[in-house]
Amino acid sequence: MVALIGWLVVTSASAQRDPAQHDDHAHHSQAAAGTSYSRVVEAYEPPPVTLVDRSGEAVLFSEAVRHDGPLLLQFIFTTCPAVCPVLSGTFAAARDGLPPEVRMVSISIDPEQDTPARLRDYADRFRAGTDWRFLTGSRHDVVRVQKAFAAYRSNKMQHQPLTFLRPAAAAHWVRLDGFLSAADLVVEVEKASKVSLEPGRG
Amino acid sequence: MSSSNHRLAAIVVALVGLIPASASGSPDAELGRRIYREGSLPSGQPVEGTVVGDVNLRGAQVSCTACHRRSGFGTSEGGAFVPPIVAPWLFGTDPPGRADLFSKLFQEVQGEQVRAKLRAQQVRPPYSAPSLAAALRDGRDPNGRPFDAVMPRYRLSDADMAHLV
């Protein structure tokens, strides 16, 4: 518990936003499962790069995230020991509870290792269907995407457990930092789909 | 690598001595090693564990060594600090000043979340076979404090638990 509180304090310190926030629950959600994560709305611009999906096909990143319905995005790598199995596992576990129009995108931050074949194996671990894309590419392009989402760390082991949620095509993104349960994720998608999002507010 | 084998053998040997005579089947260290390292049960089925309350993971990705590493010394990744589970730490008390020991073992600069967790040390009594089984199943230490949501809560039969602990 002390460790969790310490973590929360550190998280809130590193995500300084408008101090006039009234609803604390909008920022730091503590669900029954003991998970806690922070939530902030941001505008992100997808960079004009071309990535490669798990079948080896080239795809424009802007195409990969073009979708009218809700879109979920995470950065992963297939040899990730502790964080990515939980992140991707949450996508997999939430799939049935999410509306069918939700799409998922996972992007490798270790593109030299994560070939399309490795991405296929990783996707199979989570029984990912065609509604869940896995992307790799050149290091330069993958770094550009990470930077566009303010998710870049020069050391992949320092990567943060981030989940990005865009409820509709023209909307802003909800940046969720921390570990969510599948139930948390379903609630966040519902919540984001109901309101029009403004950057900096929950 | 052989020193980690010795360490693992020490864990298993230490614990086998704690198992009551009434436990069913005879605990097999090799089967325990396979659970610990590969996440596979004697039945051939993958080990199953639940993380963050409702996400079920199976097999090698929830093996003990996947996060606690083959050495058993743990790791740090992003915001997740994975503590050591080597025998002296489990069956002794978590040594005070672990933050300093961590700095000696891990040469990389750690993020602030890991540093905060390292320093938020909790005093707890040594583990026993029953409290270790409770830790793995219910995700709590011998004081009843819950583990981080990322630590799996495992579904293990009594027989499989006996091989492991």
Side-chain angles (χ1 to χ4, degrees):
Chain A
M1 230 348 111
V2 175
L4 265 176
I5 290 168
W7 187 90
L8 271 176
V9 168
V10 165
T11 302
S12 64
S14 62
Q16 286 292 321
R17 285 287 150 201
D18 180 357
Q21 284 305 321
H22 298 299
D23 185 2
D24 228 73
H25 291 294
H27 263 192
H28 301 290
S29 312
Q30 185 128 29
T35 51
S36 67
Y37 56 94
S38 72
R39 180 185 189 280
V40 73
V41 177
E42 300 279 11
Y44 297 120
E45 203 55 51
V49 297
T50 300
L51 299 180
V52 179
D53 75 11
R54 68 191 188 272
S55 61
E57 300 241 347
V59 55
L60 273 173
F61 180 65
S62 54
E63 274 305 304
V65 295
R66 184 195 305 280
H67 182 54
D68 287 330
L71 188 93
L72 289 163
L73 185 148
Q74 287 174 338
F75 294 98
I76 54 95
F77 57 104
T78 64
T79 56
C80 175
V83 171
C84 307
V86 180
L87 286 182
S88 299
T90 303
F91 270 11
R95 176 69 271 185
D96 288 342
L98 289 167
E101 63 268 20
V102 174
R103 294 286 172 271
M104 295 154 170
V105 177
S106 294
I107 303 169
S108 170
I109 61 170
D110 190 13
E112 290 95 346
Q113 294 294 320
D114 290 342
T115 57
R118 286 246 170 107
L119 287 182
R120 281 199 297 277
D121 288 340
Y122 184 82
D124 288 346
R125 262 200 254 171
F126 301 100
R127 300 195 178 103
T130 52
D131 51 0
W132 186 353
R133 276 193 122 124
F134 293 78
L135 300 172
T136 183
S138 75
R139 165 148 298 272
H140 177 260
D141 290 341
V142 156
V143 168
R144 274 189 80 177
V145 177
Q146 288 174 263
K147 286 183 172 172
F149 284 85
Y152 178 65
R153 297 287 173 106
S154 55
N155 178 350
K156 71 185 186 234
M157 290 303 286
Q158 294 286 331
H159 74 132
Q160 296 298 294
L162 290 164
T163 301
F164 297 90
L165 153 61
R166 194 192 64 199
H172 290 100
W173 293 81
V174 180
R175 179 191 183 95
L176 303 162
D177 190 344
F179 293 104
L180 283 78
S181 67
D184 291 336
L185 191 55
V186 171
V187 165
E188 288 294 340
V189 171
E190 276 170 17
K191 202 161 60 170
S193 303
K194 284 189 174 120
V195 297
S196 72
L197 302 171
E198 285 170 63
R201 285 167 204 250
Chain B
M1 277 305 142
S2 68
S3 64
S4 76
N5 282 342
H6 289 148
R7 205 172 285 123
L8 188 55
I11 297 173
V12 172
V13 164
L15 273 170
V16 165
L18 290 170
I19 298 212
S22 58
S24 59
S26 80
D28 183 336
E30 180 51 43
L31 294 176
R33 211 168 285 133
R34 261 198 258 140
I35 297 173
Y36 183 88
R37 288 210 184 130
E38 300 169 24
S40 62
L41 297 172
S43 63
Q45 291 301 307
V47 167
E48 289 181 11
T50 302
V51 297
V52 295
D54 61 6
V55 172
N56 297 326
L57 297 173
R58 343 169 26 200
Q61 64 193 348
V62 286
S63 67
C64 313
T65 54
C67 295
H68 291 278
R69 314 308 293 163
R70 218 187 129 123
S71 66
F73 274 104
T75 186
S76 86
E77 189 186 335
F81 164 59
V82 178
I85 52 171
V86 289
W89 284 51
L90 285 185
F91 307 116
T93 57
D94 204 356
R98 73 177 185 182
D100 297 327
L101 180 59
F102 187 93
S103 305
K104 288 195 184 110
L105 292 174
F106 288 84
Q107 299 295 313
E108 282 181 328
V109 173
Q110 297 301 316
E112 55 202 4
Q113 291 155 337
V114 171
R115 291 205 303 272
K117 282 190 184 171
L118 259 181
R119 279 161 176 75
Q121 189 169 357
Q122 295 149 12
V123 177
R124 55 137 179 91
Y127 279 96
S128 59
S131 67
L132 190 48
L136 296 175
R137 283 185 172 127
D138 307 331
R140 53 186 170 82
D141 76 1
N143 286 324
R145 290 200 191 94
F147 296 140
D148 195 283
V150 176
M151 167 69 187
R153 276 62 173 161
Y154 290 98
R155 235 174 324 284
L156 288 164
S157 67
D158 290 342
D160 290 336
M161 189 68 78
H163 296 307
L164 182 61
V165 305

